[in-house]
Amino acid sequence: MNSASAAQKKTPKQALSATHASGDKRFKMLDATIKRYQYQQDALIEVLHKAQELFGYLESDVLYYVAHSLKLPPSRVYGVATFYHLFSLAPSGAHTCVVCTGTACYVKGAQTILTELEKSARIHAGETTPDSQLSLLTARCLGACGIAPAVVFDGKVLGNQTAESVCEWLRHCFAERN
């Protein structure tokens, strides 16, 4: 091994000591998480959860940073981040509404609720309103089949919903804001 190649090879600790060029302290916190998992590639999901908690969503430079830190191909990190619906690649709104589209909820009117919400908020599922107030999402199943159709609004599970009750809940939340 010549001195040039030895200089290019860095230990994981040395590689991370050169923090993100932005100087953003959140990257230092992310580094601490990666170090806690001992730079193990198997800890990718845990590291992505921490990154999303710190940054609010997973923007591309964060994904590249994680890939570089864990010595994974960026395509693998992106693949994991896009596979799980709990990860977001775009900033979310101040309020989040998740409509369950599982079988029980679908049979009891989830599609009607979703259609009405899309019409009311003028966005489609997976989007955020232009004023960043509402993100509308869907979930394959929330596991709340006994209270179908279920909707999660800002983390609160609401069962036996109708299109009218969900839109009323939405108006109530936005009224509190103003």
Side-chain angles (χ1 to χ4, degrees):
M1 178 183 305
N2 63 29
S3 62
S5 66
Q8 290 179 342
K9 289 196 173 230
K10 295 180 180 178
T11 64
K13 186 177 181 179
Q14 290 170 326
L16 290 176
S17 66
T19 57
H20 194 265
S22 68
D24 190 332
K25 291 183 178 180
R26 294 176 294 183
F27 283 103
K28 285 186 178 180
M29 296 169 75
L30 186 58
D31 286 344
T33 299
I34 293 169
K35 184 177 181 180
R36 188 174 61 233
Y37 287 107
Q38 301 174 344
Y39 309 96
Q40 293 179 6
Q41 296 175 341
D42 293 344
L44 175 59
I45 291 175
E46 290 84 357
V47 171
L48 288 176
H49 275 293
K50 184 64 176 183
Q52 183 162 290
E53 177 188 320
L54 292 169
F55 294 91
Y57 67 101
L58 300 172
E59 56 187 312
S60 60
D61 70 329
V62 172
L63 293 176
Y64 279 115
Y65 190 79
V66 169
H68 176 75
S69 298
L70 295 178
K71 296 184 177 179
L72 288 168
S75 60
R76 182 165 173 201
V77 175
Y78 181 79
V80 169
T82 55
F83 180 78
Y84 294 102
H85 78 276
L86 293 175
F87 294 125
S88 176
L89 302 182
S92 61
H95 298 282
T96 304
C97 183
V98 181
V99 178
C100 180
T101 58
T103 303
C105 290
Y106 185 82
V107 168
K108 291 193 168 188
Q111 187 59 46
T112 304
I113 292 171
L114 183 61
T115 301
E116 191 61 35
L117 280 172
E118 287 177 333
K119 193 182 331 176
S120 174
R122 298 185 189 134
I123 57 173
H124 296 288
E127 295 179 348
T128 300
T129 55
D131 62 357
S132 300
Q133 288 301 307
L134 177 68
S135 292
L136 182 59
L137 306 168
T138 59
R140 300 293 286 164
C141 183
L142 296 172
C145 304
I147 57 171
V151 174
V152 179
F153 202 80
D154 289 340
K156 183 176 182 178
V157 179
L158 306 171
N160 302 312
Q161 294 298 295
T162 63
E164 295 78 24
S165 66
V166 173
C167 287
E168 182 60 34
W169 182 264
L170 199 64
R171 279 189 288 274
H172 172 73
C173 286
F174 287 135
E176 284 183 358
R177 179 189 64 173
N178 296 327

